[in-house]
């Protein structure tokens, strides 16, 4: 009898995370039932508002870009030779100042994203909601890219231009480009940096939104309200 009892704890080793997720999904059905169309719409919009708010807050904080390796803004590809050359001739501090100031400008702009995302969420149709909920794991991120990129660019650019001047990025980058351009026989680089930083700030925002979207799709603990649990339990049962 003792030997049999010792084996019992190991019976459950074969269960996969998928099994666990299915069990939780079934439990959610029993507890909450299937969501109505209105609940699906409200639940998804609630999740997206929470996710975009968190992403904007995270990136608009000091070091939100600068200390996040996934979104940190570096020298433009065409100017990477500028950086390596400056460092090789003892101007590493100037290169460091450029990188820091580019990221500070993006951090200044990121807070402008919230009302743009809220407006995009309000404009969602029931078909949009269904396609996002039951679509690919980045379906919401792709929706935001389609519907907000133009507005984000228009909103971010003046903030970034102002910030680049405020934190000295325009001067630092212009100084770096000028120092590089004075080196004999190099290909000259454009000292204007604002368009590049605007695009990288938007790209970084979507990287973090995609992370938040994946989190709520996969992490049960991220479903912090009964409505989210009900709607994403439905997602667990019906995802493609």
């Amino acid at each position: 009898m003792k030997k049999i009892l010792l084996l019992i704890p190991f019976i459950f080793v074969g269960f996969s995370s998928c099994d666990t997720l299915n069990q939780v999904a079934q439990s959610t059905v029993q507890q909450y039932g299937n969501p109505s169309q209105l609940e699906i719409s409200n639940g998804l919009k609630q999740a997206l508002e929470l996710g975009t708010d968190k992403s904007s807050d995270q990136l608009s904080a000091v070091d939100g870009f600068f200390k996040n390796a996934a979104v940190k803004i570096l020298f433009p590809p065409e100017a990477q030779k500028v950086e390596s050359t400056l460092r090789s001739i003892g101007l590493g501090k100037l290169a460091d100042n450029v990188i820091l100031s580019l990221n500070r400008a993006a951090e200044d702009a990121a807070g402008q994203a919230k009302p743009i995302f809220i407006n995009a969420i309000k404009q969602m149709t029931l078909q949009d909601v269904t396609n996002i909920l039951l679509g690919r794991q980045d379906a919401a991120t792709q929706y935001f890219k389609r519907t907000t990129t133009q507005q984000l660019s228009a909103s971010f650019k003046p903030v970034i231009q102002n910030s680049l001047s405020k934190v000295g990025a325009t001067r630092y980058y212009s100084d770096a480009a000028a120092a590089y351009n004075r080196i004999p026989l190099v290909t000259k680089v454009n000292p204007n940096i604002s368009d590049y930083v605007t695009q990288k700030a938007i790209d970084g925002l979507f990287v973090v939104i995609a992370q938040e979207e994946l989190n709520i799709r996969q992490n049960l603990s991220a479903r912090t309200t009964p409505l989210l649990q009900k709607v994403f339990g439905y997602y667990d049962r019906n995802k493609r």
Side-chain angles (χ1 to χ4, degrees):
M1 177 64 72
K2 289 183 179 180
K3 290 182 179 180
I4 295 174
L5 289 173
L6 287 172
L7 289 173
I8 290 175
F10 296 93
I11 293 174
F12 298 96
V13 171
F15 280 87
S16 67
S17 59
C18 183
D19 296 325
T20 303
L21 193 62
N22 287 335
Q23 290 170 358
V24 173
Q26 290 302 320
S27 175
T28 302
V29 176
Q30 294 171 4
Q31 183 175 1
Y32 297 114
N34 284 320
S36 66
Q37 282 291 329
L38 181 60
E39 286 175 321
I40 290 174
S41 178
N42 289 341
L44 181 68
K45 290 179 179 181
Q46 181 184 103
L48 295 179
E49 188 168 340
L50 289 171
T52 53
D53 277 1
K54 184 177 179 181
S55 300
S56 181
D57 288 342
Q58 177 183 328
L59 290 177
S60 62
V62 174
D63 291 332
F65 274 86
F66 185 66
K67 290 191 176 179
N68 183 338
V71 299
K72 183 176 181 179
I73 302 175
L74 303 175
F75 272 75
E78 68 273 14
Q80 286 175 358
K81 287 184 178 180
V82 176
E83 179 182 8
S84 61
T85 302
L86 291 176
R87 294 190 187 281
S88 72
I89 61 175
L91 294 176
K93 180 62 175 176
L94 177 57
D96 291 339
N97 286 339
V98 170
I99 292 172
L100 178 61
S101 57
L102 300 185
N103 285 276
R104 289 290 184 259
E107 290 158 11
D108 276 354
Q112 304 291 312
K114 283 187 181 183
I116 295 172
F117 287 130
I118 289 173
N119 184 61
I121 291 167
K122 287 180 179 177
Q123 299 301 317
M124 283 180 179
T125 66
L126 285 175
Q127 188 61 53
D128 290 331
V129 167
T130 301
N131 290 343
I132 290 170
L133 181 64
L134 299 181
R136 293 169 49 183
Q137 293 194 328
D138 67 343
T141 304
Q142 295 303 321
Y143 170 84
F144 285 128
K145 282 185 178 181
R146 291 194 306 273
T147 60
T148 68
T149 295
Q150 188 173 354
Q151 282 182 282
L152 287 171
S153 181
S155 179
F156 277 25
K157 189 169 183 179
V159 176
I160 283 174
Q161 287 174 329
N162 180 64
S163 182
L164 288 172
S165 298
K166 181 180 71 177
V167 300
T170 303
R171 175 170 57 83
Y172 288 136
Y173 188 76
S174 295
D175 288 351
Y180 179 79
N181 287 342
R182 285 195 296 269
I183 298 171
L185 304 179
V186 299
T187 301
K188 308 300 183 186
V189 295
N190 186 347
N192 190 326
I193 194 69
S194 60
D195 286 345
Y196 168 75
V197 178
T198 299
Q199 186 58 56
K200 295 300 287 185
I202 293 170
D203 291 346
L205 187 60
F206 286 132
V207 167
V208 176
I209 287 174
Q211 292 170 348
E212 288 300 318
E213 178 178 6
L214 190 61
N215 181 46
I216 199 165
R217 288 185 187 274
Q218 294 187 344
N219 185 357
L220 298 176
S221 65
R223 304 168 187 179
T224 54
T225 69
L227 180 59
L228 292 180
Q229 292 164 13
K230 185 174 186 178
V231 169
F232 282 91
Y234 174 81
Y235 159 74
D236 291 336
R237 300 189 302 278
N238 294 278
K239 60 188 175 184
R240 297 169 188 169

